[in-house]
Amino acid sequence: VDGVAVASPVGGTPAQIGQGTFALIGVDPADIAQVYSFDWTAGDDGLIGRLGADGAVLEENVAGDLGVQPGDAIDVYSLSGARATFRVLGTYADQQFLNGVTISRDALMPLLPSNSTGLNTLFVKEDAGVDPDTVQTAVEDALAPYPTAQVQSNAQIKDQIESGVNQLLAIF
């Protein structure tokens, strides 16, 4: 789509880790840091390039639930019955988007059920100087053949989250 500088695929699957079920999230290490800003609690963006076949970065609450820290290993059992072991490289804070165990897409693919693409989100960054509304409209047009696809800007996502919080507060 004209006006898109970077598009980075993100996807995942539930997986059993320890006694719980957590989101196993696959990212493309080559470009995720261009479209997503990790809020590191232990580590830095250099860790993403080191994910490889057996590295993982964990959302800090997931790391706490599992009782792990950088340097530890976690065993992952996927819905497809596949098993893998990942080394914890670092932790970050994000309870909204990447709220699980983040690994490379290459490491995720063998853990997916056979009918899964492992893609459920595409993070997009527009070219400098373009009108964001024009790019959003072009992306929406490109995705028109996929009726379940939803295109949202950062502002729209924030508004959606805020609306959910406000509804919850109104209930209380």
Side-chain angles (χ1 to χ4, degrees):
V1 171
D2 287 339
V4 171
V6 179
S8 185
V10 177
T13 187
Q16 182 178 346
I17 306 170
Q19 299 301 312
T21 301
F22 299 92
L24 190 60
I25 303 164
V27 299
D28 184 346
D31 54 33
I32 188 67
Q34 296 176 57
V35 295
Y36 178 85
S37 180
F38 285 89
D39 181 9
W40 295 104
T41 54
D44 59 41
D45 284 346
L47 296 178
I48 299 304
R50 295 181 29 218
L51 289 176
D54 67 349
V57 292
L58 281 63
E59 200 284 326
E60 67 179 345
N61 292 313
V62 172
D65 289 348
L66 293 171
V68 298
Q69 58 189 354
D72 291 343
I74 55 172
D75 292 320
V76 172
Y77 301 90
S78 73
L79 294 176
S80 69
R83 178 181 179 277
T85 300
F86 294 96
R87 186 173 28 90
V88 177
L89 302 176
T91 59
Y92 58 91
D94 180 356
Q95 295 183 5
Q96 297 299 321
F97 296 109
L98 302 185
N99 56 352
V101 175
T102 300
I103 60 176
S104 72
R105 281 189 47 79
D106 288 343
L108 175 68
M109 296 310 286
L111 300 171
L112 296 172
S114 61
N115 62 344
S116 177
T117 63
L119 175 63
N120 57 23
T121 303
L122 190 63
F123 289 174
V124 174
K125 178 179 180 180
E126 69 252 357
D127 286 319
V130 299
D131 176 43
D133 293 333
T134 301
V135 174
Q136 183 168 347
T137 299
V139 171
E140 289 168 350
D141 290 348
L143 293 174
Y146 307 96
T148 60
Q150 183 179 17
V151 179
Q152 291 181 296
S153 68
N154 284 346
Q156 290 169 325
I157 292 169
K158 288 176 185 177
D159 288 346
Q160 182 180 13
I161 292 168
E162 184 177 296
S163 174
V165 169
N166 288 340
Q167 288 176 1
L168 195 58
L169 290 174
I171 291 170
F172 286 118

